[in-house]
Amino acid sequence: MRARRGAVIAVVAAGGAVTTMLVGLVTNAVSESQWPGWLGWLQEHAWLSFVVLGAAMVGLSVLLAALSETGTPTGAPRAPSPGPDDGTQPPGAALVLRSLPRDTAAFTDRGAELDALVRSVRESQDNGTALPVHVIDGMPGVGKTTFAVHAGHVLSERFPDGQLFVNLNGHTTGRAPVQATEALASLLAATGVPSQQIPVGDDEGAVAEARAAMWRSRLAGRKALLILDNAVSYRQLEPLLPGGRDCLVLVTSRKRLAAYEEVVVSVDALPPDHAVDLFVRLSGRPPESLDRGVIQELAAQCGHLPLGISLLAARLRHHPSWSVRDLRSRLVAAGDRLGEFRAGERGIAATFELSYRDLEPGRQHFFRCLGCYPGTDLDAPTGAALAAVPVSAAREHLDALYDAHLIDEHPGNRHRLHDLLRDYARALADEEGTMEHTEAVRRVGTYYLTALAAANRHILRGGAPAPTVPDGGARLETPPLTSRSEALGWLEDERANVLACIRRANGLGLHELVVRMAAAMAPFLRQAGPWDQAVGLHRTAAEAARQTGDRRALAAALTESGVIRRFMAAYPEAIEALEQAITEYEAVGEKRGKAEALNQLGIVRYMIADNEAAAEAQTESLSLYREAGDRLGQANALADLGMVRRQSSRFDAAVEAQSEALTLYRELGDRYGEANSLRDLGIVHGLMGDYAAAARCQHEALEIYRSLDDRVHQAYALNELGVVHRLTGDFAQARLMHDQALEHYTELGERFGHANSVRHLGTLDRTEGRATEAVTLLERALDAYRELGSRGGEAATLGELGAARALAGEEEDAATAFGQSLVILRALGDRCGEAQVLNHYGDLLRASGDPTAARSHYTDALRLAREVRCPLEEGRALEGVGRCDRMTEGPARAAESLRQALEIFRRLGADTAADTVQALLTAQTG
């Protein structure tokens, strides 16, 4: 292959060179005038100049080939695709069924193949060896999927931990083969992995590897059955294979997939006698009333394929007055108009044509519309919108098409076309012209917009603008969604179909529809992810908005992209997208949209502890929301401004902003916002030493999060409760809270919260005197914060790590950590955090025998703590000053500082610290 490619390159290059030189000679010969300037030199030296030019062309040809070779590495999968996918195409999603499709009566006479498969599985299980991959291959229509599903039902009891069915779209017209990353995300979600835990990123190869590793881990030690239907290549399915030895994988493919560890089960066309028996059984006629010779002709006409035989038998069953000879005559007539089909397909296509002709005109129209459907499966309401018929009529059409074996039934009253029938239906639709295809996609897109509006009413927060129904949507019948759980369930079921519809609409140039559908999917994808899928969707929406010149829609898509990038902890990319959104909103004078983008930008700035920029963004956002009269926006901006004020140690301002936000949230009935404000108020109360109020706020927030089933924020509240318990000396309860939070974060894949939990547990170990364990945990947290770009988290962890290293006797490393922490804290303006680290640093210096330097650090900490009203650090600084004075000037000098510290600790309820100072005072007086 490489030699042939090289030969072609050489011929093309040489031919180009010769042609170039010939052109030069001819040009020189026919020119009668003297060329001016340097062109005259070319005229005088034509041979030399054009030889050089020819050599350049050879070089360019070879370079072009090299670039082409680089673009498609040897061995890279080359899956068929309906069009280029360069990252600008809308994302896809795999359809995963959490149970096997319905077994079919059309399954027959595969005893030998089934026995071989069952025997292979049984032998592997009995011998304790790993189950091999079983690949079921064969030509289209031969019954590969039917065989795999039937085998799955036969073997299901051997795999009690679940059965999954995935359509990989390897040969589905109009659909690109499912990528490994998409399939893995859908499989992980189907097995209960929260979307926040599914790995994401811009490196598709790394994401695929990470998801594959998680998938293998997920199935480790389980006995599960996985059917990978319609695979295009081994490379497509290899990342989807479980790593455990006890899982069975059945793969169907039209191609022969070569891999050394697989067992190949080839499914061929039925033997003639078996094909006749299947026809007789499905026809519903007494065997003696049928002419087997004619049936043999019919079976041969459709290649002895079960799909064609099922269709022919259904035609005879539905026409009691027909004989098999009548059926043969109609089949021959149907084949006369199918000359455009390839010879290998013509026979099976004739059976389709015969079944299609037997449908009444309205049902024929419905069937043609199914060929235009972008998704994989559909229900009656979707079919009704697609064909512009009532839902009751769509349900009748689907039932009739199922009875006629023209459509398959899946769990949940859903239906799908076999790929060959999809090809046929699409060919029929194409005969009607491209406008019919475009209008069908537009209709189903309008249906999805209407249904998404209904779902979003249960998802959006209280006080948010009500989703709008598109023109024509009011008359469409959508599924009844009466609760948040029902809405989320419907969205998860339809995710792949909605994304496929957006992709098809984008390909047809329906850019306005793309923009609206992407925006309607945004609330769900914010919650459900996976984030890379959401980023891809909003990138597509932004490009569609640019195509239409809709700058407002472009800004909205950029804002959503920024939000998702923040969720991914990709803070620079989030800032870039949000700043672009602000520019677009300013250009069209859209104040409310600009306020939203500013609010989100302020959150990102807060996450990276750029407090000044965060406060500026939130203040401007609040002003714009007030101008627009948007009370929910005002509450959000106030709440986020309160967090910035708290992080800047401006506790009074933080309480004021959060309290105002809390009032607005309660008036709006926004329970989620109410819980967030309560949680942040609890943090501020804790920093100000009011631990009873802090615990009360955190408990209220936790109960609301539990009622909303929001496990991420439950974990945040649990962590803050753990901090309160640690500060009040209840270490056992503190550890319980932090462990529960860590478990939530681990399951959900929330990296920032996970780092927080690890840091809090490290701090707890340090407080209880376990220096080695503390250092290990704090180093883990530090790595995580640095990877996330969280300077605030890094500074807090460095401070605790210094204290833990000091406890372990690592004085030099402790001092280094303290110094690094102070640099960051001073840059951030976190004076309370700075006071805490100065107190730790003072402890180190005092323990090292330098009470003078230690007292200086304590004095600085005392000043800062009093400035920001941080009583715990004030008490610690006073204790430190007293201990240093005791060392240098005696107990009498130390007494006043220690008594002030004792008073603060008693007031705070910090009993452990109070008891320590009391013992010190008692020893002095004694």
Side-chain angles (χ1 to χ4, degrees):
M1 182 69 181
R2 288 183 178 273
R4 185 170 61 193
R5 181 184 180 90
V8 171
I9 292 171
V11 170
V12 171
V18 171
T19 301
T20 303
M21 287 187 287
L22 289 174
V23 170
L25 288 173
V26 171
T27 302
N28 190 55
V30 301
S31 178
E32 298 179 356
S33 60
Q34 182 69 27
W35 295 353
W38 63 272
L39 293 176
W41 185 89
L42 285 178
Q43 190 177 26
E44 294 174 7
H45 303 86
W47 276 99
L48 179 60
S49 61
F50 285 106
V51 164
V52 173
L53 184 59
M57 187 172 181
V58 171
L60 289 173
S61 299
V62 174
L63 177 60
L64 177 63
L67 290 173
S68 175
E69 189 74 28
T70 303
T72 308
T74 302
R78 291 181 174 87
S81 173
D85 191 352
D86 57 1
T88 62
Q89 291 294 319
L95 176 68
V96 177
L97 300 180
R98 296 174 180 83
S99 60
L100 296 178
R102 178 177 175 178
D103 208 355
T104 176
F107 182 83
T108 187
D109 296 313
R110 300 292 187 190
E113 296 93 331
L114 184 62
D115 288 345
L117 193 156
V118 172
R119 184 169 55 254
S120 171
V121 172
R122 184 186 300 119
E123 288 176 355
S124 295
Q125 289 184 327
D126 292 346
N127 296 334
T129 57
L131 283 163
V133 176
H134 289 71
V135 177
I136 302 163
D137 62 24
M139 66 181 293
V142 79
K144 301 181 294 296
T145 301
T146 301
F147 176 77
V149 170
H150 182 75
H153 281 282
V154 170
L155 293 166
S156 60
E157 291 185 359
R158 288 180 170 268
F159 300 94
D161 294 327
Q163 299 90 39
L164 295 169
F165 179 95
V166 189
N167 182 5
L168 296 177
N169 288 339
H171 303 278
T172 303
T173 300
R175 296 290 303 274
V178 173
Q179 299 299 309
T181 51
E182 298 169 355
L184 285 165
S186 298
L187 282 167
L188 289 167
T191 53
V193 178
S195 60
Q196 296 91 337
Q197 190 177 349
I198 297 175
V200 295
D202 294 323
D203 186 337
E204 187 172 342
V207 170
E209 290 179 7
R211 290 180 179 179
M214 180 179 286
W215 171 239
R216 290 190 294 270
S217 174
R218 188 75 178 173
L219 292 188
R222 298 190 182 184
K223 293 183 177 181
L225 169 62
L226 176 63
I227 297 180
L228 301 176
D229 187 40
N230 200 2
V232 70
S233 67
Y234 192 80
R235 286 184 178 273
Q236 181 193 29
L237 63 92
E238 186 174 17
L240 314 183
L241 302 180
R245 58 193 298 155
D246 297 323
C247 291
L248 173 63
V249 180
L250 303 180
V251 180
T252 73
S253 179
R254 296 183 187 180
K255 295 184 177 181
R256 300 186 187 279
L257 307 179
Y260 67 90
E261 75 270 24
E262 71 185 23
V263 172
V264 177
V265 180
S266 293
V267 178
D268 299 318
L270 293 172
D273 289 345
H274 293 175
V276 170
D277 291 340
L278 176 62
F279 181 96
V280 170
R281 179 158 57 85
L282 295 179
S283 70
R285 303 282 183 91
E288 62 273 9
S289 68
L290 299 173
D291 187 332
R292 291 184 68 89
V294 176
I295 296 174
Q296 287 176 350
E297 293 181 33
L298 293 172
Q301 182 72 15
C302 57
H304 299 107
L305 296 177
L307 177 61
I309 293 167
S310 300
L311 288 167
L312 288 175
R315 299 281 53 74
L316 191 65
R317 185 176 69 248
H318 291 155
H319 292 277
S321 63
W322 287 8
S323 68
V324 288
R325 294 180 184 277
D326 295 329
L327 181 62
R328 180 180 59 183
S329 298
R330 285 171 166 79
L331 181 62
V332 171
D336 291 341
R337 66 176 294 274
L338 298 172
E340 70 273 14
F341 282 85
R342 294 189 296 272
E345 296 177 345
R346 199 169 296 136
I348 190 70
T351 67
F352 299 165
E353 177 73 8
L354 186 61
S355 296
Y356 175 73
R357 286 185 181 183
D358 199 36
L359 303 175
E360 50 92 8
R363 196 149 294 151
Q364 288 181 347
H365 168 73
F366 187 86
F367 181 75
R368 291 196 304 272
C369 288
L370 293 181
C372 302
Y373 180 55
T376 301
D377 67 345
L378 80 170
D379 55 11
T382 310
L386 182 69
V389 299
V391 173
S392 58
R395 193 170 288 112
E396 291 177 5
H397 288 321
L398 290 170
D399 289 343
L401 292 174
Y402 176 73
D403 290 340
H405 291 266
L406 286 169
I407 197 167
D408 296 329
E409 187 177 58
H410 275 216
N413 294 318
R414 304 187 69 83
H415 298 79
R416 60 166 292 190
L417 286 172
H418 186 282
D419 282 350
L420 288 177
L421 281 163
R422 180 189 291 267
D423 291 347
Y424 177 68
R426 184 161 182 169
L428 291 172
D430 288 344
E431 292 177 1
E432 303 294 317
T434 56
M435 282 305 298
E436 175 58 27
H437 189 175
T438 301
E439 289 306 311
V441 173
R442 195 190 303 276
R443 288 193 298 269
V444 78
T446 300
Y447 163 77
Y448 278 131
L449 281 173
T450 306
L452 285 166
N456 284 336
R457 290 188 185 95
H458 297 287
I459 295 175
L460 292 172
R461 293 168 57 183
T468 58
V469 176
D471 293 340
R475 64 174 180 270
L476 296 175
E477 183 178 338
T478 58
L481 304 175
T482 60
S483 67
R484 177 183 173 85
S485 61
E486 286 183 1
L488 290 173
W490 179 85
L491 283 160
E492 194 58 63
D493 289 342
E494 292 288 356
R495 175 204 295 265
N497 294 322
V498 174
L499 293 177
C501 186
I502 295 173
R503 193 180 185 100
R504 183 73 60 82
N506 195 57
L508 293 170
L510 301 175
H511 299 305
E512 184 178 350
L513 181 61
V514 170
V515 167
R516 295 194 66 182
M517 291 187 71
M521 281 291 284
F524 171 64
L525 292 178
R526 277 197 187 193
Q527 298 182 39
W531 307 139
D532 54 348
Q533 190 179 88
V535 167
L537 178 63
H538 297 312
R539 184 189 302 120
T540 299
E543 184 56 35
R546 290 188 180 100
Q547 292 292 328
T548 62
D550 188 341
R551 301 187 73 173
R552 183 177 280 101
L554 172 59
L558 288 168
T559 300
E560 287 297 334
S561 181
V563 171
I564 300 301
R565 288 292 189 182
R566 169 168 65 85
F567 292 165
M568 297 171 69
Y571 300 130
E573 294 86 347
I575 291 171
E576 180 182 4
L578 291 165
E579 288 181 339
Q580 289 178 20
I582 292 168
T583 300
E584 295 297 327
Y585 278 129
E586 288 174 342
V588 296
E590 171 59 58
K591 291 185 177 181
R592 188 188 179 284
K594 181 182 176 182
E596 167 69 11
L598 280 165
N599 174 241
Q600 294 297 333
L601 179 62
I603 295 173
V604 179
R605 297 290 189 190
Y606 163 82
M607 296 295 290
I608 61 175
D610 187 352
N611 294 323
E612 183 176 349
E616 181 180 343
Q618 297 299 356
T619 301
E620 186 178 357
S621 173
L622 177 60
S623 177
L624 289 171
Y625 276 132
R626 282 173 172 161
E627 286 183 35
D630 186 334
R631 300 181 73 218
L632 177 61
Q634 293 174 48
N636 290 339
L638 283 164
D640 294 324
L641 181 60
M643 293 170 65
V644 177
R645 298 305 189 205
R646 182 252 302 160
Q647 188 163 265
S648 306
S649 299
R650 296 181 57 187
F651 300 139
D652 289 335
V655 170
E656 180 182 355
Q658 284 294 359
S659 297
E660 187 177 350
L662 180 61
T663 299
L664 283 170
Y665 284 135
R666 284 172 170 166
E667 290 174 356
L668 292 168
D670 186 344
R671 298 280 284 164
Y672 177 78
E674 178 185 358
N676 286 345
S677 282
L678 282 167
R679 178 170 56 83
D680 207 65
L681 277 170
I683 296 173
V684 178
H685 285 313
L687 291 169
M688 297 175 70
D690 190 347
Y691 298 133
R696 184 171 59 253
C697 287
Q698 298 299 350
H699 277 297
E700 287 186 50
L702 180 60
E703 289 308 309
I704 295 174
Y705 289 138
R706 283 173 173 163
S707 71
L708 296 174
D709 195 27
D710 185 339
R711 297 181 67 203
V712 171
H713 286 90
Q714 287 177 45
Y716 276 104
L718 286 166
N719 259 343
E720 298 305 334
L721 278 171
V723 171
V724 174
H725 286 303
R726 172 172 59 81
L727 293 175
T728 54
D730 190 347
F731 298 148
Q733 193 66 15
R735 187 171 298 279
L736 178 63
M737 297 292 101
H738 293 318
D739 282 340
Q740 288 180 10
L742 182 63
E743 182 180 350
H744 284 330
Y745 287 133
T746 302
E747 291 177 358
L748 296 170
E750 218 285 0
R751 297 165 64 199
F752 184 77
H754 187 278
N756 286 343
S757 291
V758 173
R759 172 168 62 87
H760 288 314
L761 285 167
T763 301
L764 188 60
D765 279 339
R766 191 265 306 166
T767 304
E768 294 186 291
R770 289 189 289 272
T772 303
E773 294 86 342
V775 168
T776 299
L777 288 173
L778 291 166
E779 286 179 339
R780 281 176 52 196
L782 182 61
D783 289 341
Y785 284 128
R786 284 174 170 167
E787 184 178 343
L788 290 168
S790 173
R791 298 174 71 210
E794 180 182 359
T797 307
L798 281 167
E800 285 297 335
L801 183 60
R805 290 197 183 282
L807 184 65
E810 303 169 9
E811 296 179 1
E812 186 175 342
D813 289 340
T816 299
F818 289 141
Q820 292 174 344
S821 177
L822 287 170
V823 169
I824 299 173
L825 290 168
R826 285 164 180 161
L828 298 179
D830 185 352
R831 290 177 291 171
C832 184
E834 184 182 351
Q836 181 182 30
V837 174
L838 284 169
N839 278 328
H840 284 317
Y841 210 158
D843 292 342
L844 172 66
L845 293 169
R846 179 170 52 81
S848 303
D850 190 351
T852 302
R855 194 181 196 283
S856 175
H857 282 70
Y858 290 132
T859 302
D860 288 344
L862 180 61
R863 174 181 53 81
L864 289 170
R866 284 174 171 167
E867 285 178 1
V868 299
R869 290 178 54 200
C870 187
L872 179 61
E873 297 310 323
E874 181 185 359
R876 288 172 173 169
L878 285 166
E879 179 187 355
V881 168
R883 287 180 178 274
C884 290
D885 288 346
R886 189 171 187 272
M887 292 173 65
T888 58
E889 301 184 38
R893 176 69 175 168
E896 180 58 29
S897 295
L898 292 174
R899 279 195 290 270
Q900 290 180 38
L902 177 62
E903 180 182 346
I904 291 173
F905 290 144
R906 292 292 189 207
R907 185 176 74 248
L908 295 178
D911 294 338
T912 301
D915 291 344
T916 301
V917 175
Q918 181 64 68
L920 192 59
L921 286 168
T922 301
Q924 289 182 184
T925 57

